[in-house]
Amino acid sequence: MASVTSLSDNVQQHLASALTATLPEAAGADPLLRRSDRADFQANGILALAKKAKANPRELAAQVVSRVVTGDVIQDVEVSGPGFLNITIADKAITENLAARYADETGRLGVPFAEQPGTTVIDYAQPNVAKEMHVGHLRSAVIGDSVVQLLEFTGENVVRRHHIGDWGTQFGMLIQYLDEHPHELDHKDARVTGEEAMSNLDRLYKAARKKFDSDEEFKTRARRRVVDLQAGDEHTLAMWQKFVDESKIYFFSVFEKLDMEIRDADIVGESGYNDMLAETCRLLEESGVAVRSEGALCVFFDDIKGPDGNPVPLIVQKSDGGYGYAATDLSAIRDRVFNLKANTLLYVVDARQALHFRMVFETARRAGWLNDDVTAVQLAFGTVLGKDGKPFKTREGETVRLVDLLDEAIDRASAVVREKAQDLSEEEIAERGAQVGVGAVKYADLSTSANRDYKFDLDQMVSLNGDTSVYLQYAYARIQSILRKAGEVSPAAHPELALHEAERALGLHLDSFAETVREAAAEYAPHKLAAYLYQVASLYTSFYDKCPVLRAETPAQMENRLFLCDVTARTLHRGMALLGIRTPEKL
């Protein structure tokens, strides 16, 4: 189905035509249309145009009003203040536009695809092999997954990349220990769980670390293993692969609990670029982008200096010949630009790594790998804080395990669902509890602008009141209940009916869904969609309180209000899915 022109776009076109007819030199000028408390919309652009044309703004506004076509879409337009235009939309237009969205059989609610989609490679959800995922891994996964959903929904070609930490000196220690204790990763049951996989890895890591710290001969053997690994020794690589495979079992179990799809083909860790490192260094050195300094290959920047005033370089290759993160990240850029043909490289990475990525991106620009046609963006995110406003830790001061955090959220949510449940079985309560608990954690994260820190407060997250996913899920479930109770009466649009103030407010807000999705995708800003959906639920609550649905005054009014309920439900369902959150039919 073709996209549906929103009421704001429609009004914008009417005003632009009237402006051009009044002031030909204003052709193409933006009327600056926005929602208003004084009317449905307010246009503020005439003030700037009047100033430019040396005209009286109120007089110019009055001339524009005289040329605005009223009727089907615009019911009324009047001049306000120094030259604002207050615009009221016809009730019929609100209902008809929603009906057009409702008729979209694709489930897109009339949201258009991008006119010129590109290819975005998004780097997110980057855990480390042989290490537990903790609360610090939450934001990259949740924000990245939502941005993937938004971009794909608007038609962008998205390539997912999980740049897992699967290389480095610690693997020498782990591989050597496993080689000497070959049954440490054996499983009694072929169907190993993620928890068992992590338990095995954790136990092996601690034992290897203990031996490394206490046994000099083992330490020497472990260091030799690092050299073997980097040289591509077949046996050593096979041992390393065991660690990667075991870790993936664990990763997949955590991501499954987070209700996220992570595909094996999308996991391309640090090791995936090993074959490119030497060439990356050669290209940078030959082009003069990088220079040798005290034996290391470095890139210098005029504006990046240390506390002593000396330049702080990006070290691409160490003086001992080893490669750092910069070499891997620059090789990944080459792969993503030249092999994957990306237009945009998007990195969902902690804000504390901003300087590193600034240096890496600038190096890639100097090398010509990034340019006006290919951009790299760090979608930097803030820190998850405890209720005390400090970085989230356990009482013992340890980093909070992500699995423990999710399990507690699910337990709290299950208690809320059980309290509200009327006809749900224990199995259904457990299922809803997981959907509500995980949704609560995701929404708390996504409803905050990514670059801001936020406090992790489970009591607030699973509350039925306030800006929470539970409030939105409950609104959706309540609508489904109403639709079930309606029995044989089906939702149907009746454009001929006058609308209550609460119906108008809800209808106008629902009509801006496409605009909000487009903006959230373009700005990589899931929090804008979350704020929109919260407003949908709030306006629906007001409508529900003021406009009887099943006890409407006439059959036509009942059908129309059921229609408004159903459009609201579909908008909540689609919008929440774009945030990666489920909307249960019953709560």
Side-chain angles (χ1 to χ4, degrees), residues 438-487:
V438 171
V441 170
K442 286 185 174 184
Y443 186 85
D445 195 310
L446 294 170
S447 59
T448 306
S449 175
N451 59 10
R452 288 177 50 206
D453 301 341
Y454 77 94
K455 290 183 182 178
F456 195 92
D457 182 348
L458 271 179
D459 292 330
Q460 173 57 29
M461 287 178 186
V462 298
S463 171
L464 278 165
N465 302 310
D467 188 4
T468 67
S469 69
V470 191
Y471 177 65
L472 273 65
Q473 288 169 322
Y474 186 66
Y476 177 81
R478 183 161 60 181
I479 295 171
Q480 296 307 318
S481 175
I482 291 170
L483 293 173
R484 285 192 297 272
K485 288 175 183 173

Short mmCIF file of all heavy atoms in Angstrom, two decimals, residues 438-487:
data_model
loop_
_atom_site.label_atom_id
_atom_site.label_comp_id
_atom_site.label_asym_id
_atom_site.label_seq_id
_atom_site.Cartn_x
_atom_site.Cartn_y
_atom_site.Cartn_z
N VAL A 438 11.46 -7.95 30.97
CA VAL A 438 12.49 -7.57 29.99
C VAL A 438 12.09 -6.27 29.30
O VAL A 438 12.92 -5.40 29.06
CB VAL A 438 12.71 -8.70 28.97
CG1 VAL A 438 13.60 -8.25 27.82
CG2 VAL A 438 13.34 -9.92 29.66
N GLY A 439 10.79 -6.13 29.01
CA GLY A 439 10.30 -4.89 28.41
C GLY A 439 10.56 -3.69 29.31
O GLY A 439 10.93 -2.61 28.85
N ALA A 440 10.40 -3.90 30.61
CA ALA A 440 10.61 -2.81 31.58
C ALA A 440 12.06 -2.35 31.56
O ALA A 440 12.34 -1.14 31.57
CB ALA A 440 10.22 -3.29 32.98
N VAL A 441 12.97 -3.31 31.52
CA VAL A 441 14.40 -2.99 31.50
C VAL A 441 14.75 -2.26 30.20
O VAL A 441 15.44 -1.23 30.20
CB VAL A 441 15.26 -4.27 31.65
CG1 VAL A 441 16.73 -3.98 31.39
CG2 VAL A 441 15.07 -4.87 33.03
N LYS A 442 14.27 -2.77 29.09
CA LYS A 442 14.57 -2.15 27.79
C LYS A 442 14.00 -0.74 27.71
O LYS A 442 14.67 0.20 27.25
CB LYS A 442 13.99 -3.00 26.65
CG LYS A 442 14.73 -4.28 26.36
CD LYS A 442 14.11 -4.96 25.13
CE LYS A 442 14.89 -6.17 24.68
NZ LYS A 442 14.35 -6.75 23.45
N TYR A 443 12.75 -0.59 28.13
CA TYR A 443 12.08 0.71 27.99
C TYR A 443 12.77 1.77 28.85
O TYR A 443 12.92 2.92 28.43
CB TYR A 443 10.60 0.59 28.35
CG TYR A 443 9.82 1.86 28.09
CD1 TYR A 443 9.31 2.12 26.82
CD2 TYR A 443 9.62 2.81 29.09
CE1 TYR A 443 8.61 3.29 26.56
CE2 TYR A 443 8.92 3.98 28.84
CZ TYR A 443 8.41 4.21 27.57
OH TYR A 443 7.73 5.39 27.32
N ALA A 444 13.16 1.39 30.07
CA ALA A 444 13.84 2.35 30.95
C ALA A 444 15.11 2.87 30.28
O ALA A 444 15.46 4.05 30.38
CB ALA A 444 14.18 1.70 32.28
N ASP A 445 15.78 1.98 29.57
CA ASP A 445 17.00 2.36 28.86
C ASP A 445 16.67 3.22 27.64
O ASP A 445 17.24 4.29 27.44
CB ASP A 445 17.72 1.08 28.42
CG ASP A 445 19.16 1.33 28.00
OD1 ASP A 445 19.39 2.23 27.18
OD2 ASP A 445 20.04 0.59 28.47
N LEU A 446 15.72 2.75 26.84
CA LEU A 446 15.41 3.40 25.56
C LEU A 446 14.65 4.71 25.71
O LEU A 446 14.67 5.55 24.81
CB LEU A 446 14.62 2.45 24.67
CG LEU A 446 15.37 1.20 24.21
CD1 LEU A 446 14.42 0.21 23.55
CD2 LEU A 446 16.51 1.57 23.27
N SER A 447 13.96 4.89 26.82
CA SER A 447 13.21 6.14 27.00
C SER A 447 14.12 7.28 27.46
O SER A 447 13.70 8.42 27.57
CB SER A 447 12.06 5.94 28.00
OG SER A 447 12.56 5.52 29.25
N THR A 448 15.37 6.94 27.73
CA THR A 448 16.38 7.94 28.08
C THR A 448 17.23 8.21 26.85
O THR A 448 17.63 7.27 26.17
CB THR A 448 17.30 7.41 29.21
OG1 THR A 448 16.51 6.99 30.30
CG2 THR A 448 18.29 8.47 29.66
N SER A 449 17.52 9.46 26.57
CA SER A 449 18.42 9.78 25.47
C SER A 449 19.72 9.01 25.66
O SER A 449 20.27 8.97 26.77
CB SER A 449 18.70 11.29 25.46
OG SER A 449 19.65 11.60 24.47
N ALA A 450 20.21 8.37 24.61
CA ALA A 450 21.35 7.45 24.73
C ALA A 450 22.56 8.08 25.42
O ALA A 450 23.24 7.42 26.20
CB ALA A 450 21.75 6.95 23.34
N ASN A 451 22.81 9.36 25.16
CA ASN A 451 24.03 9.96 25.70
C ASN A 451 23.93 10.34 27.17
O ASN A 451 24.89 10.81 27.77
CB ASN A 451 24.47 11.17 24.85
CG ASN A 451 23.40 12.25 24.81
OD1 ASN A 451 22.41 12.19 25.53
ND2 ASN A 451 23.58 13.22 23.92
N ARG A 452 22.77 10.15 27.77
CA ARG A 452 22.60 10.47 29.19
C ARG A 452 22.75 9.22 30.06
O ARG A 452 22.42 8.12 29.65
CB ARG A 452 21.21 11.09 29.43
CG ARG A 452 21.06 12.50 28.89
CD ARG A 452 19.64 13.00 29.10
NE ARG A 452 19.18 12.80 30.46
CZ ARG A 452 17.89 12.67 30.80
NH1 ARG A 452 16.96 12.69 29.88
NH2 ARG A 452 17.55 12.51 32.06
N ASP A 453 23.23 9.42 31.28
CA ASP A 453 23.22 8.34 32.27
C ASP A 453 21.78 8.16 32.75
O ASP A 453 20.96 9.07 32.62
CB ASP A 453 24.09 8.71 33.48
CG ASP A 453 25.54 8.97 33.11
OD1 ASP A 453 25.95 8.54 32.02
OD2 ASP A 453 26.26 9.61 33.89
N TYR A 454 21.46 6.99 33.30
CA TYR A 454 20.14 6.84 33.93
C TYR A 454 20.23 5.91 35.12
O TYR A 454 21.13 5.07 35.21
CB TYR A 454 19.09 6.36 32.92
CG TYR A 454 19.14 4.89 32.57
CD1 TYR A 454 18.35 3.96 33.24
CD2 TYR A 454 19.97 4.42 31.56
CE1 TYR A 454 18.39 2.61 32.92
CE2 TYR A 454 20.01 3.08 31.23
CZ TYR A 454 19.22 2.17 31.92
OH TYR A 454 19.27 0.85 31.60
N LYS A 455 19.31 6.09 36.05
CA LYS A 455 19.29 5.28 37.27
C LYS A 455 18.48 4.01 37.05
O LYS A 455 17.36 4.05 36.54
CB LYS A 455 18.68 6.08 38.43
CG LYS A 455 19.58 7.21 38.92
CD LYS A 455 18.97 7.94 40.11
CE LYS A 455 19.86 9.09 40.53
NZ LYS A 455 19.27 9.85 41.66
N PHE A 456 19.06 2.89 37.46
CA PHE A 456 18.39 1.61 37.32
C PHE A 456 17.56 1.36 38.58
O PHE A 456 18.10 1.03 39.63
CB PHE A 456 19.42 0.49 37.13
CG PHE A 456 18.81 -0.78 36.62
CD1 PHE A 456 18.75 -1.04 35.27
CD2 PHE A 456 18.28 -1.71 37.49
CE1 PHE A 456 18.17 -2.21 34.78
CE2 PHE A 456 17.70 -2.89 37.03
CZ PHE A 456 17.65 -3.13 35.67
N ASP A 457 16.25 1.55 38.46
CA ASP A 457 15.34 1.44 39.60
C ASP A 457 14.21 0.48 39.23
O ASP A 457 13.23 0.88 38.59
CB ASP A 457 14.79 2.83 39.95
CG ASP A 457 13.88 2.82 41.17
OD1 ASP A 457 13.50 1.72 41.62
OD2 ASP A 457 13.55 3.92 41.67
N LEU A 458 14.36 -0.79 39.62
CA LEU A 458 13.37 -1.80 39.22
C LEU A 458 11.98 -1.50 39.74
O LEU A 458 10.98 -1.79 39.08
CB LEU A 458 13.82 -3.18 39.69
CG LEU A 458 14.71 -3.98 38.73
CD1 LEU A 458 15.09 -5.31 39.34
CD2 LEU A 458 14.01 -4.19 37.39
N ASP A 459 11.88 -0.93 40.94
CA ASP A 459 10.56 -0.60 41.50
C ASP A 459 9.80 0.33 40.56
O ASP A 459 8.61 0.14 40.31
CB ASP A 459 10.70 0.06 42.88
CG ASP A 459 11.23 -0.91 43.92
OD1 ASP A 459 10.96 -2.12 43.78
OD2 ASP A 459 11.93 -0.48 44.84
N GLN A 460 10.50 1.33 40.05
CA GLN A 460 9.88 2.28 39.13
C GLN A 460 9.63 1.63 37.76
O GLN A 460 8.59 1.83 37.14
CB GLN A 460 10.78 3.52 38.97
CG GLN A 460 10.32 4.51 37.91
CD GLN A 460 8.90 5.02 38.13
OE1 GLN A 460 8.43 5.09 39.26
NE2 GLN A 460 8.21 5.36 37.05
N MET A 461 10.57 0.81 37.31
CA MET A 461 10.47 0.21 35.97
C MET A 461 9.24 -0.67 35.80
O MET A 461 8.66 -0.73 34.72
CB MET A 461 11.72 -0.63 35.67
CG MET A 461 12.96 0.18 35.41
SD MET A 461 14.36 -0.94 35.13
CE MET A 461 15.70 0.25 35.03
N VAL A 462 8.87 -1.41 36.85
CA VAL A 462 7.73 -2.33 36.72
C VAL A 462 6.43 -1.72 37.27
O VAL A 462 5.44 -2.41 37.46
CB VAL A 462 8.00 -3.69 37.41
CG1 VAL A 462 9.18 -4.38 36.77
CG2 VAL A 462 8.21 -3.52 38.91
N SER A 463 6.45 -0.40 37.47
CA SER A 463 5.25 0.28 37.96
C SER A 463 4.21 0.41 36.86
O SER A 463 4.54 0.63 35.68
CB SER A 463 5.63 1.67 38.49
OG SER A 463 4.47 2.41 38.78
N LEU A 464 2.94 0.31 37.25
CA LEU A 464 1.84 0.50 36.30
C LEU A 464 1.57 1.97 36.05
O LEU A 464 0.80 2.33 35.16
CB LEU A 464 0.56 -0.16 36.83
CG LEU A 464 0.44 -1.67 36.60
CD1 LEU A 464 -0.65 -2.25 37.47
CD2 LEU A 464 0.15 -1.96 35.14
N ASN A 465 2.20 2.82 36.84
CA ASN A 465 1.99 4.26 36.72
C ASN A 465 3.27 4.94 36.22
O ASN A 465 4.37 4.52 36.55
CB ASN A 465 1.60 4.87 38.08
CG ASN A 465 0.35 4.22 38.64
OD1 ASN A 465 -0.66 4.11 37.95
ND2 ASN A 465 0.41 3.75 39.88
N GLY A 466 3.07 6.00 35.45
CA GLY A 466 4.23 6.75 34.99
C GLY A 466 4.74 6.24 33.65
O GLY A 466 4.15 5.38 33.01
N ASP A 467 5.88 6.80 33.26
CA ASP A 467 6.46 6.52 31.94
C ASP A 467 7.23 5.20 31.98
O ASP A 467 8.46 5.17 32.07
CB ASP A 467 7.39 7.69 31.57
CG ASP A 467 7.88 7.60 30.13
OD1 ASP A 467 7.43 6.68 29.41
OD2 ASP A 467 8.70 8.43 29.73
N THR A 468 6.48 4.11 31.92
CA THR A 468 7.08 2.76 31.95
C THR A 468 6.49 1.92 30.83
O THR A 468 5.40 2.19 30.34
CB THR A 468 6.80 2.05 33.29
OG1 THR A 468 5.39 1.78 33.38
CG2 THR A 468 7.23 2.89 34.48
N SER A 469 7.21 0.85 30.47
CA SER A 469 6.67 -0.03 29.43
C SER A 469 5.43 -0.75 29.94
O SER A 469 4.54 -1.10 29.17
CB SER A 469 7.72 -1.04 28.98
OG SER A 469 8.00 -1.96 30.01
N VAL A 470 5.37 -0.99 31.26
CA VAL A 470 4.20 -1.69 31.83
C VAL A 470 2.93 -0.86 31.59
O VAL A 470 1.88 -1.41 31.27
CB VAL A 470 4.39 -1.96 33.34
CG1 VAL A 470 3.32 -2.91 33.84
CG2 VAL A 470 5.77 -2.54 33.62
N TYR A 471 3.06 0.45 31.73
CA TYR A 471 1.92 1.34 31.49
C TYR A 471 1.45 1.22 30.03
O TYR A 471 0.25 1.14 29.75
CB TYR A 471 2.34 2.78 31.81
CG TYR A 471 1.29 3.84 31.54
CD1 TYR A 471 0.10 3.87 32.25
CD2 TYR A 471 1.51 4.82 30.57
CE1 TYR A 471 -0.87 4.84 32.00
CE2 TYR A 471 0.57 5.80 30.32
CZ TYR A 471 -0.63 5.80 31.03
OH TYR A 471 -1.57 6.77 30.78
N LEU A 472 2.42 1.16 29.11
CA LEU A 472 2.07 1.03 27.68
C LEU A 472 1.50 -0.35 27.38
O LEU A 472 0.52 -0.48 26.64
CB LEU A 472 3.31 1.28 26.83
CG LEU A 472 3.61 2.74 26.45
CD1 LEU A 472 3.94 3.57 27.69
CD2 LEU A 472 4.79 2.82 25.48
N GLN A 473 2.11 -1.38 27.95
CA GLN A 473 1.62 -2.75 27.73
C GLN A 473 0.21 -2.92 28.31
O GLN A 473 -0.63 -3.59 27.71
CB GLN A 473 2.58 -3.76 28.37
CG GLN A 473 3.90 -3.91 27.61
CD GLN A 473 4.92 -4.71 28.40
OE1 GLN A 473 5.03 -4.59 29.63
NE2 GLN A 473 5.70 -5.53 27.72
N TYR A 474 -0.01 -2.29 29.46
CA TYR A 474 -1.33 -2.39 30.09
C TYR A 474 -2.38 -1.69 29.23
O TYR A 474 -3.51 -2.19 29.07
CB TYR A 474 -1.29 -1.79 31.49
CG TYR A 474 -2.57 -1.98 32.26
CD1 TYR A 474 -3.00 -3.25 32.64
CD2 TYR A 474 -3.39 -0.89 32.58
CE1 TYR A 474 -4.18 -3.44 33.33
CE2 TYR A 474 -4.58 -1.07 33.27
CZ TYR A 474 -4.97 -2.35 33.65
OH TYR A 474 -6.16 -2.54 34.31
N ALA A 475 -2.01 -0.53 28.63
CA ALA A 475 -2.94 0.18 27.75
C ALA A 475 -3.31 -0.72 26.56
O ALA A 475 -4.48 -0.81 26.17
CB ALA A 475 -2.32 1.48 27.26
N TYR A 476 -2.32 -1.38 26.00
CA TYR A 476 -2.56 -2.27 24.86
C TYR A 476 -3.47 -3.43 25.27
O TYR A 476 -4.43 -3.75 24.56
CB TYR A 476 -1.23 -2.81 24.33
CG TYR A 476 -1.39 -3.80 23.20
CD1 TYR A 476 -1.60 -3.37 21.89
CD2 TYR A 476 -1.35 -5.18 23.43
CE1 TYR A 476 -1.77 -4.28 20.85
CE2 TYR A 476 -1.52 -6.09 22.40
CZ TYR A 476 -1.73 -5.63 21.11
OH TYR A 476 -1.91 -6.53 20.08
N ALA A 477 -3.16 -4.06 26.40
CA ALA A 477 -3.96 -5.21 26.87
C ALA A 477 -5.40 -4.78 27.16
O ALA A 477 -6.35 -5.53 26.90
CB ALA A 477 -3.32 -5.82 28.11
N ARG A 478 -5.56 -3.57 27.70
CA ARG A 478 -6.91 -3.08 28.01
C ARG A 478 -7.72 -2.90 26.72
O ARG A 478 -8.91 -3.22 26.68
CB ARG A 478 -6.83 -1.75 28.77
CG ARG A 478 -8.18 -1.21 29.20
CD ARG A 478 -8.07 -0.20 30.30
NE ARG A 478 -7.28 0.96 29.94
CZ ARG A 478 -7.05 1.98 30.78
NH1 ARG A 478 -7.52 1.93 32.01
NH2 ARG A 478 -6.33 3.01 30.40
N ILE A 479 -7.07 -2.41 25.67
CA ILE A 479 -7.76 -2.25 24.39
C ILE A 479 -8.20 -3.61 23.85
O ILE A 479 -9.32 -3.78 23.36
CB ILE A 479 -6.87 -1.53 23.35
CG1 ILE A 479 -6.60 -0.09 23.80
CG2 ILE A 479 -7.54 -1.52 21.98
CD1 ILE A 479 -5.56 0.63 22.96
N GLN A 480 -7.30 -4.60 23.95
CA GLN A 480 -7.65 -5.94 23.46
C GLN A 480 -8.84 -6.50 24.22
O GLN A 480 -9.71 -7.17 23.64
CB GLN A 480 -6.44 -6.90 23.60
CG GLN A 480 -5.24 -6.51 22.74
CD GLN A 480 -5.59 -6.32 21.28
OE1 GLN A 480 -6.35 -7.08 20.69
NE2 GLN A 480 -5.06 -5.26 20.67
N SER A 481 -8.92 -6.20 25.52
CA SER A 481 -10.05 -6.64 26.33
C SER A 481 -11.35 -6.00 25.84
O SER A 481 -12.38 -6.67 25.72
CB SER A 481 -9.80 -6.28 27.80
OG SER A 481 -10.92 -6.58 28.59
N ILE A 482 -11.28 -4.70 25.54
CA ILE A 482 -12.47 -3.98 25.03
C ILE A 482 -12.91 -4.58 23.69
O ILE A 482 -14.10 -4.81 23.46
CB ILE A 482 -12.17 -2.48 24.87
CG1 ILE A 482 -11.99 -1.83 26.25
CG2 ILE A 482 -13.27 -1.76 24.09
CD1 ILE A 482 -11.45 -0.41 26.20
N LEU A 483 -11.95 -4.84 22.81
CA LEU A 483 -12.28 -5.39 21.49
C LEU A 483 -12.91 -6.77 21.62
O LEU A 483 -13.83 -7.13 20.87
CB LEU A 483 -11.03 -5.45 20.61
CG LEU A 483 -10.42 -4.09 20.21
CD1 LEU A 483 -9.08 -4.29 19.49
CD2 LEU A 483 -11.38 -3.31 19.32
N ARG A 484 -12.44 -7.56 22.61
CA ARG A 484 -13.05 -8.89 22.84
C ARG A 484 -14.48 -8.74 23.36
O ARG A 484 -15.39 -9.45 22.93
CB ARG A 484 -12.20 -9.70 23.83
CG ARG A 484 -10.91 -10.26 23.24
CD ARG A 484 -10.26 -11.29 24.16
NE ARG A 484 -9.85 -10.73 25.44
CZ ARG A 484 -8.67 -10.17 25.68
NH1 ARG A 484 -7.76 -10.08 24.71
NH2 ARG A 484 -8.37 -9.71 26.88
N LYS A 485 -14.66 -7.80 24.27
CA LYS A 485 -15.99 -7.61 24.86
C LYS A 485 -17.00 -7.05 23.86
O LYS A 485 -18.20 -7.16 24.06
CB LYS A 485 -15.89 -6.67 26.06
CG LYS A 485 -15.23 -7.31 27.29
CD LYS A 485 -15.05 -6.30 28.41
CE LYS A 485 -14.33 -6.91 29.61
NZ LYS A 485 -14.00 -5.91 30.64
N ALA A 486 -16.49 -6.44 22.79
CA ALA A 486 -17.40 -5.86 21.79
C ALA A 486 -18.15 -6.94 21.03
O ALA A 486 -19.16 -6.67 20.37
CB ALA A 486 -16.61 -4.98 20.82
N GLY A 487 -17.64 -8.17 21.12
CA GLY A 487 -18.36 -9.30 20.49
C GLY A 487 -18.47 -9.16 18.99
O GLY A 487 -17.48 -9.07 18.28
#
